[in-house]
Amino acid sequence: MTTTETTPAPRGSAVDTSPAIIIAAIIAVSGVALTGLITWLIGKNSVGVARRSADAATDSAKAANISAEAATKASDAATKNAEAATTSANASTESAAAATKSAAAAQKNAEAAERSSKAAERSSQIAESSVQLARTKAIIDIIPSLSSTDNRQVEAALVLISQIGDPDLARQISLIYQSEGGIGALQRLSATSHDWSVKQQINTSLKQIYEQFGRSVVRIFVDRDLQGAGFVVRDDIVATCFYNLRRITAGSPPSTADPIEIGLDDGTILTGSVISSGGEDYPVGLVKVDAKRDALNLGGTEDVRSGDEVSLLLPNLRRYDRSNASTPTGGTNVSEARVTGRKYDGQLALEGTDFKAGFGGAPVIGHFGSVIGMIFRRESDTKGWVLPSEMVQSALDELGSTGSG
């Protein structure tokens, strides 16, 4: 700043009071004052800035202290985490060691279990051998009963063999003793067996037996019209109901048809001749034919009881195809029925599901695998009457006494 110096007037000199001089003097004084004011203001502002800078420095120091404390805490936490990790690693090592010990113990237990299993298997084999020996002895004791003349005793023996524990042996023996209780035994074994494979084998055996029987069942045709059924009772003789041999002509009484056409199970048609026409009082008819089929065994009805299950061997009832007479249909079905009573003349009452027209003359197989009669009359589709086998046998006996056939 420039300072203006004022030279005092010489003493005794006169002062210049002109306007210019006065104005210059005022400006000089004002300049000094303004410069001082500005200097003061600048000084004051500098003090404020210094104070704020000091406050900021103090705040920065505090923040630095806080950061330092946070860093210390973070360091402590990291140290603790490291210690925890070390502890966890030690625990994992101990767990691994324990697992190794457990695996070794499990291996020893498995080896011990295997030794126990082998010992148990040996014991089981010894026990099974003992049981098999006892079964064999028991079966040997039962075998003589198979020679009994009582069919029910034979059946009971066969069932007992199965119950002893050898159902397959019982099944095989039953096939040998078909007409002496074997079929009844097979039926009982099938009904009582809880072993599906055994039941299936038994049912297969029964099916084979009835298929064999079915080959001896025939159809009776008059003028190519299906009349009914019949069955082979001797190598060359078929038994049927007398009415199947009748020719019905309008305006004329029924007459015996001769020759008769016989349809076999395979569809073959043979010509037969009537050798006993029967009648109302003698209802069994006989036909001579070269059927080349095994004869069914005639049994008796003295052992037949109410409630007994029996089997009907029913021929396929499809008729001649008149446009192609060389291809008639064969086949035989098996149907089950139950004996419900007996008439004074020996006829048996049956209930079942297949007493349709056209089945007259079909054989009925009894509990012991022999023919106990043939279907004679139907009351409904579920009820019918059966001529006893004794009547069929009487017709054969009469045939022999007269020398016919």
Coordinates of all heavy atoms in Angstrom, one line a residue, residues 9 17 94 109-110 137-138 148 212 225 280 327 349 362 394:
A9 N 2.9 23.0 6.1 CA 3.1 24.3 5.6 C 4.1 25.0 6.5 O 4.1 24.9 7.7 CB 1.8 25.1 5.5
T17 N -6.6 26.7 0.8 CA -7.9 26.2 1.1 C -8.8 26.1 -0.2 O -10.0 26.1 -0.1 CB -8.6 27.1 2.1 OG1 -8.7 28.4 1.6 CG2 -7.9 27.0 3.4
E94 N -11.3 -86.1 14.0 CA -11.8 -87.1 14.9 C -13.0 -87.9 14.4 O -13.1 -89.1 14.6 CB -12.2 -86.4 16.2 CG -11.0 -85.7 17.0 CD -11.4 -84.9 18.1 OE1 -12.7 -84.8 18.3 OE2 -10.6 -84.4 18.9
N109 N -18.7 -107.3 11.9 CA -20.1 -107.8 12.1 C -20.6 -108.5 10.9 O -21.3 -109.6 11.0 CB -21.0 -106.6 12.4 CG -20.8 -106.0 13.8 OD1 -20.3 -106.7 14.6 ND2 -21.2 -104.7 13.9
A110 N -20.3 -108.0 9.7 CA -20.7 -108.7 8.4 C -20.1 -110.1 8.3 O -20.7 -111.0 7.9 CB -20.3 -107.8 7.2
K137 N -41.2 -141.7 4.9 CA -41.7 -142.8 5.8 C -43.2 -142.8 5.9 O -43.9 -143.8 5.8 CB -41.0 -142.7 7.2 CG -41.4 -143.9 8.1 CD -40.8 -143.7 9.4 CE -41.1 -144.9 10.3 NZ -42.6 -145.1 10.5
A138 N -43.7 -141.5 6.0 CA -45.2 -141.4 6.2 C -45.9 -141.8 4.8 O -46.9 -142.5 4.9 CB -45.6 -140.0 6.5
S148 N -56.9 -149.9 -1.8 CA -58.2 -150.2 -1.3 C -59.3 -150.2 -2.3 O -59.2 -149.5 -3.3 CB -58.6 -149.1 -0.2 OG -59.9 -149.2 0.2
Q212 N -59.2 -135.8 -22.5 CA -59.2 -137.2 -22.9 C -60.6 -137.8 -22.8 O -61.0 -138.5 -23.8 CB -58.3 -138.0 -21.9 CG -58.2 -139.4 -22.2 CD -57.4 -140.2 -21.2 OE1 -56.6 -139.6 -20.5 NE2 -57.5 -141.5 -21.1
D225 N -79.7 -133.2 -38.9 CA -80.2 -132.3 -37.8 C -79.7 -132.8 -36.5 O -79.8 -134.0 -36.1 CB -81.7 -132.3 -37.8 CG -82.3 -131.4 -38.9 OD1 -81.6 -130.5 -39.3 OD2 -83.4 -131.8 -39.3
E280 N -89.9 -145.2 -23.9 CA -90.3 -144.4 -22.7 C -90.0 -145.2 -21.4 O -89.6 -144.6 -20.4 CB -91.8 -144.1 -22.7 CG -92.2 -143.1 -23.9 CD -91.7 -141.7 -23.6 OE1 -91.3 -141.5 -22.4 OE2 -91.7 -140.9 -24.5
T327 N -67.5 -130.2 -43.2 CA -66.8 -129.5 -42.1 C -67.7 -129.2 -40.9 O -67.8 -128.1 -40.5 CB -66.2 -128.2 -42.6 OG1 -67.3 -127.4 -43.1 CG2 -65.2 -128.4 -43.6
A349 N -81.1 -135.6 -9.5 CA -81.4 -134.2 -9.8 C -80.1 -133.4 -9.7 O -79.4 -133.5 -8.7 CB -82.5 -133.7 -8.8
A362 N -75.6 -136.5 -22.9 CA -74.2 -136.2 -22.5 C -73.8 -136.8 -21.2 O -74.7 -136.9 -20.3 CB -74.0 -134.6 -22.4
S394 N -77.4 -151.7 -17.7 CA -78.5 -152.7 -17.9 C -78.8 -152.9 -19.4 O -79.0 -154.0 -19.9 CB -79.8 -152.3 -17.2 OG -79.6 -152.3 -15.8

